[in-house]
Amino acid sequence: MKHNEVVNGYRIVNSPTNAGGGKCMWAFAEKSGKPYFIKQFLSPKRPKPDAGGSERSKQVRLEACREFEQRHRGIMKLLKPDMPGGGHLVLATDFFAHGSTYYKVTARIDTSTLEKPQLLESRQKCILLKTLAVSLQLLHEIDVVHGDLKPANVLVQKRTGNAFHIAKLIDFDDSYLTGKPPDREEIAGDSLYGAPEWRRYVQDDGSVKAEQLTTAVDIFALGLMTHYYLTGALPQHSERFDSPADAVSAKEKLELDPRLTDRMRNLVLAMTSRAPASRPRIATVISTLKDSKVCDLVQRPPATSAASATEASSNPLKEDRDFPSPGRLRTNIKGTPRPRREPSSPRPETPSAATGAEPTAPGGSSKASDASRKSRVRINLGDRRK
Amino acid sequence: MSSAADQYRGNLQYAVDIVLCIDATGSMKPVLGSVKSSAMTFQPRLEAVMQEKGKSISQLRIKTIAFRDFGHQEDDAIESTDFLRLPEQTETFRTFLHGIDATGGGDVPESGLEALSLAVSSPWEKGLDRRRHVIVMFTDAPAHPLGGPHSSLQSYPASIPPSSDDLLEQWGYPRSQEALMEQSAKRLVLFAPDQEPWTGIQEDWDMVLHFPSKAGDGLQEFEMDQIIDTIANSL
Ligand SMILES: Nc1ncnc2c1ncn2[C@@H]1O[C@H](COP(=O)(O)OP(=O)(O)OP(=O)(O)O)[C@@H](O)[C@H]1O
């Protein structure tokens, strides 16, 4: 795949790059005047009919290709771009081999990666989160685990004339059926957003079996992403741990931003529970997000604990049977144990919804408000040298 | 009451090994300086990117193989280091890089495939939880096919396979039996012209990212971003 080359009818319109991707080369393309995103898979490669090497080697490689095609066509059958609600999932419109190499094509999304989501108003944040959760629900309803949920796999789209940012979920290439993940060596996933059971599976912990990797893996990641979109940072944890999942695995509580409403705090804590079965289902997440007030960041006098703070403290999730109440929560204003990154801001904040002021993210510097005056979004031109 | 299942097994540990294959023939003179200086800043840049992502690498090692041409001059055709741990062994790394001069090579092609073969058979890290084994090739020239007349030279390394088909087997593919590389860890990043054998390798081998250099332009446009992306986005 090269700039200006035509690959199976798609003309490549820029220099292919691996920017933002770990296991592919990608570019933008055009076919019949329509813009596309095209992704070249690095593996497997089809052996050429006249290739050297042993027959056995060719057979093994062809078999891997057959499996790869089956897996992709299987996902494409389950996830069709025209399925109801499918508009929020950026799904493959074409999948083919050209020469020795496999390609996947999706609609080109002119998007931006939202650099400072925490600066949006809470209603905006809520819509962003809800569109994301609804996308995930489409997958979970058919027992598909996204498997690599992280902000980099969410394209945030803001239509002209529409005030709201919409989340578009990408990269289903590592998806699997709930309870049927790829092997321990091969499973994809992100070291920061990965769930505790995913990390233990990767670490070859025999007590974590394949069937324990379920849609709850995505819920854990979505819990962390919710905290990130609302506050601009992940929950904090002791410096001893490299990731939230490690802290949770060691039965340490994550330190959530004290400005979260109680309902949001309970939701995020439940979503990041250690035991997959204790995490809420996606439908519960969506119903909690129905009231955009849950996405507010609230002012708390430094001495009050989150659980006793102003907000109505009834647990909005208590009707959900498979979802035990997370109980009373500790706010760690002093920042002990020492957080991994900068401590959460103990400063009372003004609720953003009330004043329209842009909150400062915990761990963010005073630069945050400067930055807000500049564009909040970075346009993805698909070519880092532009 | 903590059962084995409840025991915390420690943070997930990532090991990254990189082998830089650097063409040190005369024609590389205009770009060798920038390859070297990018190589020197690679570790701090990778660390900065990882930190920005809130991630970390537990162990980073770099091995460098400078190559010229067995057909031109046998005794300086390959010079290499062992895997050096960074940042601990930065000084050794710097001294080696500093010592590479762009000389000789005679006419193209060069001994790039020999360097690549040696890289493939490197003593890659097998421990820790997850690994990335990245070979990076910087060259502005095509390479001699393996198994040519040079392979009978005295100083020609015995470990180099006799043909490119054998080298492909050593590189491996999903479910291969003879691979020296670990399938889920390996990556090959080629900064090389759109000429054989590089074009063929990009076609036939898996996990290859080829950034073709324009003929005559050398590697001027080269940046380390592609290598950093390959590592940082997949951990
Ligand atoms: N439909 C699209 N339109 C525009 N840009 C896209 C589209 N899909 C993906 N991208 C961009 O391409 C980059 C790489 O895509 P993708 O995440 O699918 O690659 P990957 O190698 O599978 O990455 P990952 O490391 O997440 O597995 C993304 O970071 C995104 O910015």
Side-chain angles (χ1 to χ4, degrees), chain B residues 45-169:
Chain B
R45 280 181 59 193
L46 175 63
E47 194 174 294
V49 171
M50 291 298 286
Q51 207 172 6
E52 203 180 297
K53 290 180 184 272
K55 300 179 180 181
S56 62
I57 289 172
S58 311
Q59 175 186 299
L60 174 67
R61 305 188 307 165
I62 293 200
K63 174 181 166 75
T64 313
I65 302 177
F67 66 90
R68 296 190 181 85
D69 186 0
F70 277 101
H72 181 69
Q73 198 168 329
E74 196 183 336
D75 57 357
D76 69 353
I78 299 281
E79 295 172 277
S80 65
T81 67
D82 292 333
F83 271 119
L84 302 174
R85 267 176 187 258
L86 295 187
E88 296 86 343
Q89 294 179 283
T90 303
E91 244 352 274
T92 319
F93 182 48
R94 186 198 308 276
T95 311
F96 181 82
L97 284 177
H98 191 74
I100 305 176
D101 271 333
T103 53
D107 277 349
V108 295
E110 319 289 5
S111 294
L113 279 181
E114 279 78 4
L116 181 56
S117 311
L118 293 172
V120 166
S121 57
S122 299
W124 300 103
E125 174 63 61
K126 297 211 158 47
L128 275 64
D129 297 312
R130 283 215 141 169
R131 295 155 294 280
R132 286 289 168 265
H133 297 159
V134 186
I135 300 178
V136 186
M137 170 64 66
F138 301 105
T139 182
D140 62 352
H144 294 295
L146 292 178
H150 312 143
S151 54
S152 53
L153 291 169
Q154 182 127 59
S155 61
Y156 193 89
S159 66
I160 294 175
S163 75
S164 53
D165 289 338
D166 295 303
L167 185 55
L168 185 150
E169 292 299 323

Side-chain angles (χ1 to χ4, degrees), chain A residues 192-193 224-225 227-228 231-236 244 255 341 362, chain B residues 53:
Chain A
L192 210 50
Y193 290 88
L224 297 179
M225 289 164 76
H227 193 279
Y228 168 75
T231 70
L234 287 176
Q236 309 263 322
E255 261 180 82
R341 287 175 283 280
Chain B
K53 290 180 184 272

Side-chain angles (χ1 to χ4, degrees), chain A residues 2 16-25 40 42-45 48 52-53 56-57 60-61 64 67 100-101 150 184-192 198-200 202-207 240-242 246 249-251 274 340-341 384-385, chain B residues 1-2 4-14 53-56 58 129-131 165 168-169 173-177 182-184 187 194 200-212 221-223 225-227 229-230 233-235:
Chain A
K2 279 178 241 165
T17 171
N18 67 332
K23 310 169 294 287
C24 72
M25 290 286 276
Q40 182 186 48
L42 300 186
S43 185
K45 288 279 173 74
K48 290 197 199 90
R56 209 192 104 64
S57 152
V60 173
R61 284 184 273 160
E67 275 175 32
S100 59
T101 306
K150 56 183 175 186
R184 293 172 193 265
E185 291 284 308
E186 268 151 36
I187 186 168
D190 185 85
S191 57
L192 210 50
W198 172 83
R199 289 186 67 105
R200 289 166 63 195
V202 169
Q203 279 176 308
D204 215 3
D205 178 337
S207 68
R240 289 190 292 134
F241 304 108
D242 285 339
D246 281 336
S249 270
K251 300 188 175 163
R274 186 167 181 274
R340 186 172 153 70
R341 287 175 283 280
R384 76 181 99 226
R385 291 202 187 95
Chain B
M1 50 144 253
S2 89
D6 276 353
Q7 263 161 36
Y8 173 55
R9 294 166 60 105
N11 293 339
L12 205 53
Q13 307 267 313
Y14 287 99
K53 290 180 184 272
K55 300 179 180 181
S56 62
S58 311
D129 297 312
R130 283 215 141 169
R131 295 155 294 280
D165 289 338
L168 185 150
E169 292 299 323
Y173 36 83
R175 267 171 238 133
S176 65
Q177 302 288 313
E182 179 183 331
Q183 182 63 24
S184 56
R187 304 281 189 277
D194 212 346
I201 286 180
Q202 145 73 29
E203 275 276 298
D204 300 338
W205 295 24
D206 68 346
M207 305 314 288
V208 178
L209 298 115
H210 185 191
F211 298 95
E221 274 213 76
F222 151 75
E223 291 174 52
D225 297 9
Q226 296 91 334
I227 308 169
D229 268 318
T230 291
N233 293 334
S234 66
L235 292 181

